[in-house]
Amino acid sequence: MNASQMVVAHEVHKYYGGFHALKGVSLQVAAGEVTCIVGPSGSGKSTFLRCINQLEKTDGGAIWLGGDLLGYRRKGDELRELSDADIARQRLASGMVFQRFNLFGHMTALQNIMEGPVVVQKRKRAEVRVEAEALLERVGLAGKANAYPSELSGGQQQRVAIARALAMKPKLMLFDEPTSALDPELVGEVLAVMKNLAQSGMTMIVVTHELGFAREVSNRVVFMDQGQIIEAGTPAEVLSTPQHPRTREFIAAILA
């Protein structure tokens, strides 16, 4: 495996009962690259992210993150499943931001960000607090440290969720349609934080319907439909001059 590749997915399959959600998905994402995945609802985009984050178990193929095979270890010629504890450790290498913010309602913004590093990583509270305050400033919420989720707008809550994921110092950030639950006027503030994160060199895989963001920020755009990657290339190639009829149809519908 090429050491410059942060994520390598090879022939990944996922079934839900008789439904074949992922049909042999292969993708490589280089360190420092931003890849945007677009496609219609039900095309397997979110399922693929959840497989990378090991929230879903794959039914075929393999995924490597930072050179580590996810979910398994090789023993001789055999692959043995990792324990739940080992999978939880592997999961720390990727941070995931969901459509819904999933913040702890009884904790302030600062406490939400500090929880993972203190409880999971067993780091010193004073050190984590300094980093959490810096992360709040980074996402434009320095004045909201003591605010509870119910006191924040949807866009602010999502920015806290991004800071919370970053607090665990992941190698990879996964975004699953992070603006789809927001009122339209709040979308821009979240995309601005993500753009800043991309410019800092963070490796990112973003499932999104925001084609303007994909065009401006991503190195590569992947179009998925019915559990398969139909087309992939630069933003100009996929969004401006798509080759596949299904990609053209999808983009025309979004821009209509």
Side-chain angles (χ1 to χ4, degrees):
M1 194 183 99
N2 189 327
S4 70
Q5 299 299 333
M6 180 65 75
V7 180
V8 176
H10 178 70
E11 290 290 320
V12 175
H13 289 264
K14 176 66 185 175
Y15 291 87
Y16 294 103
F19 177 62
H20 198 174
L22 295 176
K23 302 172 183 172
V25 173
S26 295
L27 181 69
Q28 297 189 5
V29 179
E33 183 175 87
V34 178
T35 296
C36 283
I37 304 179
V38 301
S41 297
S43 59
K45 309 182 301 294
S46 296
T47 300
F48 182 51
L49 281 200
R50 292 173 69 85
C51 287
I52 295 172
N53 196 234
Q54 299 193 78
L55 294 172
E56 298 285 357
K57 195 170 160 184
T58 58
D59 295 312
I63 302 173
W64 290 263
L65 173 53
D68 292 331
L69 177 62
L70 297 184
Y72 299 90
R73 62 185 167 86
R74 190 174 291 282
K75 183 137 186 178
D77 291 334
E78 282 183 38
L79 283 180
R80 302 257 178 103
E81 282 193 30
L82 293 181
S83 67
D84 289 345
D86 285 335
I87 286 173
R89 271 193 291 275
Q90 280 193 336
R91 194 177 286 131
L92 296 178
S94 59
M96 190 153 175
V97 178
F98 301 88
Q99 295 179 29
R100 297 287 171 184
F101 325 121
N102 300 326
L103 298 177
F104 297 116
H106 65 291
M107 292 183 182
T108 64
L110 189 68
Q111 289 168 338
N112 264 282
I113 296 167
M114 291 176 62
E115 181 76 358
V118 170
V119 174
V120 178
Q121 295 178 330
K122 312 292 185 195
R123 294 175 54 209
K124 292 179 180 169
R125 183 172 287 276
E127 172 190 300
V128 170
R129 185 186 182 94
V130 171
E131 291 181 7
E133 287 172 343
L135 282 169
L136 273 173
E137 187 169 350
R138 184 175 181 182
V139 299
L141 293 173
K144 298 293 186 181
N146 296 318
Y148 289 90
S150 60
E151 300 170 321
L152 300 173
S153 71
Q156 290 170 334
Q157 289 185 63
Q158 192 62 296
R159 285 187 278 156
V160 172
I162 293 171
R164 181 179 61 178
L166 290 172
M168 303 296 281
K169 301 186 177 179
K171 298 176 184 175
L172 168 72
M173 283 289 285
L174 303 167
F175 293 87
D176 186 9
E177 302 202 27
T179 60
S180 67
L182 299 178
D183 292 333
E185 68 268 22
L186 302 178
V187 168
E189 64 191 50
V190 173
L191 293 181
V193 169
M194 292 169 62
K195 183 177 174 183
N196 176 270
L197 193 55
Q199 289 168 341
S200 75
M202 173 63 76
T203 311
M204 296 164 58
I205 303 178
V206 184
V207 168
T208 185
H209 281 106
E210 301 289 340
L211 298 190
F213 174 83
R215 190 185 303 277
E216 183 182 356
V217 177
S218 68
N219 302 95
R220 196 155 47 127
V221 174
V222 173
F223 174 68
M224 286 185 70
D225 191 28
Q226 296 185 355
Q228 295 177 299
I229 291 176
I230 304 297
E231 191 166 347
T234 66
E237 287 168 344
V238 176
L239 299 178
S240 300
T241 55
Q243 300 303 301
H244 196 282
R246 184 67 189 93
T247 317
R248 288 199 292 270
E249 180 188 341
F250 173 77
I251 290 169
I254 287 261
L255 297 177

